[in-house]
Amino acid sequence: MLAALALFTVLVQRRVRSWRLLLPLAAITWALVHASGVHATVAGVLLGFAVPVLRSPKSGGPDAGPGLAEHFEHRFRPLSAGVAVPVFAFLSAGVTLGGVDGLMSAFRDPVVLGIVVGLIVGKPIGIMTATWLMARFTHADLDENLSWVDMLGLSMLAGIGFTVSLLIGELAFGMGDDAHVKVAVLAGSVTAALLATVVLRLRNRAYRRIHEIETADLDQDGVLDVYETDRPETAGS
């Protein structure tokens, strides 16, 4: 496993993009990690950490364009979003409610209540607190077009959990509480989405104004005005 992972790392660090080389090494790493008894998602994390995010100095550095990680993300997004995630969700989301009685029984389970509260309340508290600390104690700050209400709405959206939440719930609680965990994740995700929709809809007028500014091209030169900066004309031009 380590040999396959090491070879994969060497190749991507040398900016090799050939899927004929990288895909077999990634598959071997995944298979060996799975066979070792460690959860196979660890292989994906290790492989992801190996891929460089920035361009190398020989390629012009960060200013020369996106790095290899962004290249892979763009290239494999259709396969990931269009095949892998839906298949995983389809295989993982079988929920047996057992009618109204079964649903009420699920919501009397402390595990269910904990997951729902974690998604609806815990996620926004964590994200808002971390963002406020960054804005308070570092040089980071919110964009002038955004407000803390926007951050609240976005942090509520983070409460939408499906594939990863189901996976973590299965690993944490085992198969005994599997059905209740799925009910909790689905209920918490739907509630978080609805609450975020309400909050963000209140700022819809502001978002329309931001969109108009960012898509304006008053001089009709094909370049959006937001990307243009005034440059002093040189003498004789």
Side-chain angles (χ1 to χ4, degrees):
M1 184 272 288
L2 293 178
L5 177 61
L7 184 55
F8 179 91
T9 302
V10 170
L11 290 176
V12 294
Q13 289 297 324
R14 291 178 176 272
R15 274 55 180 183
V16 174
R17 300 186 178 190
S18 174
W19 65 269
R20 293 178 178 85
L21 294 175
L22 299 178
L23 186 59
L25 290 172
I28 291 172
T29 302
W30 179 90
L32 293 178
V33 170
H34 178 70
S36 70
V38 179
H39 201 281
T41 52
V42 175
V45 174
L46 295 175
L47 292 168
F49 276 135
V51 180
V53 176
L54 302 178
R55 280 180 174 263
S56 65
K58 292 182 179 179
S59 301
D63 296 333
L68 195 58
E70 186 173 346
H71 170 78
F72 284 162
E73 188 274 336
H74 179 75
R75 185 174 183 180
F76 296 114
R77 184 190 302 169
L79 178 63
S80 174
V83 179
V85 173
V87 169
F88 179 84
F90 178 78
L91 296 176
S92 300
V95 179
T96 303
L97 297 179
V100 177
D101 292 338
L103 188 61
M104 296 303 296
S105 174
F107 279 100
R108 286 193 292 267
D109 187 345
V111 170
V112 173
L113 297 178
I115 293 174
V116 172
V117 173
L119 292 175
I120 298 175
V121 180
K123 285 287 189 73
I125 289 178
I127 294 173
M128 290 291 289
T129 301
T131 305
W132 182 84
L133 290 174
M134 291 292 293
R136 176 67 176 82
F137 296 106
T138 71
H139 295 293
D141 200 0
L142 290 182
D143 186 274
E144 60 181 8
N145 291 318
L146 297 179
S147 70
W148 287 103
V149 175
D150 301 313
M151 282 303 307
L152 177 61
L154 292 174
S155 64
M156 288 179 172
L157 285 177
I160 301 175
F162 192 53
T163 53
V164 175
S165 297
L166 292 174
L167 173 63
I168 298 302
E170 179 181 329
L171 295 176
F173 300 105
M175 299 302 295
D177 291 322
D178 187 54
H180 284 187
V181 168
K182 292 176 181 178
V183 170
V185 170
L186 294 176
S189 298
V190 171
T191 305
L194 293 175
L195 292 175
T197 300
V198 172
V199 173
L200 295 176
R201 285 285 295 179
L202 298 175
R203 291 273 294 165
N204 193 46
R205 182 178 299 177
Y207 301 146
R208 289 180 182 274
R209 178 177 57 82
I210 295 172
H211 174 72
E212 292 174 357
I213 294 174
E214 293 183 345
T215 57
D217 183 17
L218 299 180
D219 53 8
Q220 297 183 349
D221 61 352
V223 179
L224 299 181
D225 296 340
V226 71
Y227 296 118
E228 295 181 328
T229 56
D230 294 328
R231 297 183 178 88
E233 296 183 356
T234 58
S237 60

